[in-house]
Amino acid sequence: MLRFANIEMLWLLLLIPVMAAGYIYATRRKRRQLLELGDKSLVKELMPDASHGRPTAKFILLMSALVLLIIAAARPQVGQKSETVKRQGIEVMIALDVSNSMMAEDVAPNRLDRAKQMLSKMIDKMQDDKVGLVVFAGEAYTQLPITCDYVSAKMFLNNITTDLVPTQGTAIGSAIRTSVRSFGSEQSEAGRAIILLTDAENHEDDAVAAAKEAQEKGIQVFVVGVGKPDGSPIPIPGTGTFRKDRQGQVVVSRLNEQAGKEIAQAGNGMYVRCDNSNTAMRALQQELNKIATADIETQLYTDYQEQYQSFLLVALLLLIVEFFLLARKNRTLIRLDIFKERMPMKAVVLLLLALPATVLAQKEAGNIRSGNRHYESERYTDAEVDYRRGLDKNQDSFEAHYNLGNALFRQDKYDEAAREYTKAMQLMENKKEKAKAQDTLRLAHSYHNLGNSYYGQQRFQEAIRAYKQSLRLNPKDNDTRYNLIKAMQLQEQQQQQQQQQQDQQQDQQQSQEQQQEQQEQQAQEQQAEEQQAQEAQAEESDEQMDKETAEQILQALEQDEQDTQEKVQQQKGGKKKRVEKDW
């Protein structure tokens, strides 16, 4: 779609018909004056070098160049118009289990990768729906807020590993509740669904109750069981060994289909097992198609590419042709003295000097357009190369810095992406003239993407500052507002986890100090008992005790020592810390 950044400049085109009318009037008046001098054929013989077509051709060239210059001043741009689009779709939150048990290889290549492959195909088939992503193990986190940006959804999906959640386990109830909160508090006529992909092997909380709560809010819960009931050992990457429990036995992780069916039934959804075929995806897609759809508003943004360089280049070429086209007939250019013509030579030199600059700008725009094509094809490395080539030609190009930041962000190079977004914003803020509405919107988008870069690095404090700055420039951006809320929530969770770790360290330190005190007290008691035994033996020796009495005393001492050791073991057993499940 074509638009004009300075559309008010097009009003200058009204000068063209006025100038054309003036030229026609002047030409006819000149002809009438010539006819007043005498016969037409006689006047023509008296003026052999006069040309009737050349002046008209020169005028047409000048007018054409003027039209192109006016269009160039209006800054034509090519791109898709930014607008709010209403689509008929549903809202889907995907909750993916990333516990260590998902590394079991009873389905190829393993449970986690098979689930990711299935979700990637499902996202490819989505057109008008919104999708979000939650990851969980012992705890649940929102990985991607609900959005229509399927490219971002697949990018986040591909980067999911079992290292995303530090606490191991399978907190399915927490995952369902986190997914419900991710839909937002606003009521929606569109159907809502949660797709839960897990082996359902263990419950850290009441998942059935959480599914009932979701169903009461009009949200269906679908469960996709990943794995096989027979189970499989859990390999430890890079070691060639398998995970073991506290007794040293190899852990065999099994799919708990009964638990999955109970959760799906409570959530008014469906349970299906995911294997090495596409049966589960087709069955799930059929059920999702039954959910009622409604209008979903989505804001679409596309950066427009400047096209004024082409119009300016053609206009300069027309001016050069008009300059060398003489108004009189001249079969040779031998007598042409450009220094005595009506256009100074300096003007020609300036035009020729401006031509390479225009070509250079065109090459820069060409690199950016080439990078955009690679970016749309998800060839982010090639797009990065094109954008950097554009920056080699013009380091002050906002588009090149901004688009380069997008390409780096897609490659998970968050630090480099943040630097490019910062440079783009500095270029925008350093403009002397007052920023127009479109520049303000682009600057707001830059801050939004900068916040996403920090968000991906879990640097929530910096992300919050960037999102707030974006909202100051564009207060109506609901996506930025939602990301800001999620960043603040995750920052609070991060702080709570840090506090919990500090409390655990303090508890461990206190426990160690208590154990040390107990050991010292036991050592003192044992030393006192040994001393009493020695004194008793000395007294019995002095009284010349018989052999039978000595044996009885010795047995009593041994029994006391045994009782003391049993007490120590009991105390140690009471203080022993329970090892949590790590798969």
Side-chain angles (χ1 to χ4, degrees), residues 500-560:
Q500 290 176 359
Q501 291 177 356
Q502 292 177 359
D503 294 341
Q504 289 177 358
Q505 292 177 356
Q506 292 179 357
D507 293 340
Q508 291 177 358
Q509 185 176 359
Q510 292 177 358
S511 176
Q512 291 176 357
E513 292 177 354
Q514 291 177 359
Q515 290 179 1
Q516 186 175 0
E517 291 178 357
Q518 291 177 358
Q519 290 176 358
E520 292 178 354
Q521 184 177 358
Q522 292 171 2
Q524 292 176 359
E525 291 176 355
Q526 185 176 1
Q527 184 177 2
E529 290 175 356
E530 291 177 354
Q531 186 175 359
Q532 290 177 1
Q534 292 176 359
E535 292 176 355
Q537 289 178 358
E539 291 176 356
E540 291 174 358
S541 177
D542 293 340
E543 295 176 357
Q544 296 181 352
M545 295 176 59
D546 58 2
K547 183 177 180 180
E548 183 179 357
T549 304
E551 289 178 354
Q552 292 177 353
I553 295 174
L554 182 60
Q555 290 176 357
L557 291 174
E558 290 177 352
Q559 183 65 34
D560 291 340

Side-chain angles (χ1 to χ4, degrees), residues 372-432:
N372 292 343
R373 288 193 294 269
H374 289 148
Y375 185 91
E376 292 172 358
S377 303
E378 300 184 12
R379 298 165 58 187
Y380 303 122
T381 303
D382 296 335
E384 177 187 353
V385 173
D386 288 330
Y387 294 142
R388 292 191 183 279
R389 288 175 178 173
L391 287 173
D392 290 338
K393 298 180 176 64
N394 183 10
Q395 287 291 331
D396 296 331
S397 173
F398 170 86
E399 289 78 7
H401 283 294
Y402 180 85
N403 293 350
L404 176 58
N406 291 338
L408 293 171
F409 181 85
R410 297 298 189 189
Q411 300 176 66
D412 299 336
K413 300 177 181 178
Y414 299 121
D415 287 337
E416 297 181 34
R419 285 196 294 269
E420 296 302 325
Y421 289 137
T422 302
K423 291 178 182 178
M425 289 183 293
Q426 289 175 349
L427 289 172
M428 186 65 67
E429 292 173 346
N430 289 339
K431 284 187 175 181
K432 296 181 180 179

Side-chain angles (χ1 to χ4, degrees), residues 174-228:
S174 177
I176 296 175
R177 292 186 175 93
T178 301
S179 299
V180 172
R181 290 194 298 269
S182 298
F183 284 113
S185 58
E186 297 181 0
Q187 296 294 329
S188 175
E189 296 180 358
R192 292 177 171 179
I194 297 174
I195 301 177
L196 184 68
L197 293 97
T198 178
D199 52 26
E201 185 186 17
N202 183 51
H203 291 278
E204 303 292 334
D205 48 19
D206 192 351
V208 175
K212 289 182 179 179
E213 295 173 3
Q215 190 273 334
E216 291 173 357
K217 296 180 180 180
I219 303 173
Q220 292 184 258
V221 180
F222 298 88
V223 181
V224 179
V226 187
K228 294 182 179 179

Side-chain angles (χ1 to χ4, degrees), residues 461-478:
Q461 185 65 33
E462 292 89 339
I464 290 172
R465 286 199 296 267
Y467 288 142
K468 287 182 178 179
Q469 185 63 28
S470 177
L471 286 175
R472 291 189 187 99
L473 298 170
N474 185 17
K476 297 181 180 180
D477 192 341
N478 292 328

Side-chain angles (χ1 to χ4, degrees), residues 80 100 194 316 340 371 405 432 566 568:
Q80 185 177 355
N100 287 329
I194 297 174
L316 291 175
K340 295 181 180 180
K432 296 181 180 179
E566 290 178 356
V568 172

Side-chain angles (χ1 to χ4, degrees), residues 80-91:
Q80 185 177 355
K81 185 178 181 181
S82 301
E83 58 183 357
T84 300
V85 178
K86 288 186 177 181
R87 298 175 173 177
Q88 287 285 332
I90 62 175
E91 298 179 357

Side-chain angles (χ1 to χ4, degrees), residues 223-280:
V223 181
V224 179
V226 187
K228 294 182 179 179
D230 295 338
S232 172
I234 305 173
I236 301 176
T239 63
T241 60
F242 299 97
R243 291 191 179 275
K244 298 180 180 180
D245 57 18
R246 288 177 291 176
Q247 287 74 33
Q249 301 296 323
V250 175
V251 175
V252 177
S253 175
R254 294 180 173 85
L255 170 63
N256 189 346
E257 287 196 292
Q258 182 61 33
K261 292 177 180 178
E262 292 176 357
I263 296 171
Q265 183 178 2
N268 192 27
M270 177 192 68
Y271 173 83
V272 62
R273 188 203 296 181
C274 175
D275 50 22
N276 290 325
S277 66
N278 293 325
T279 305

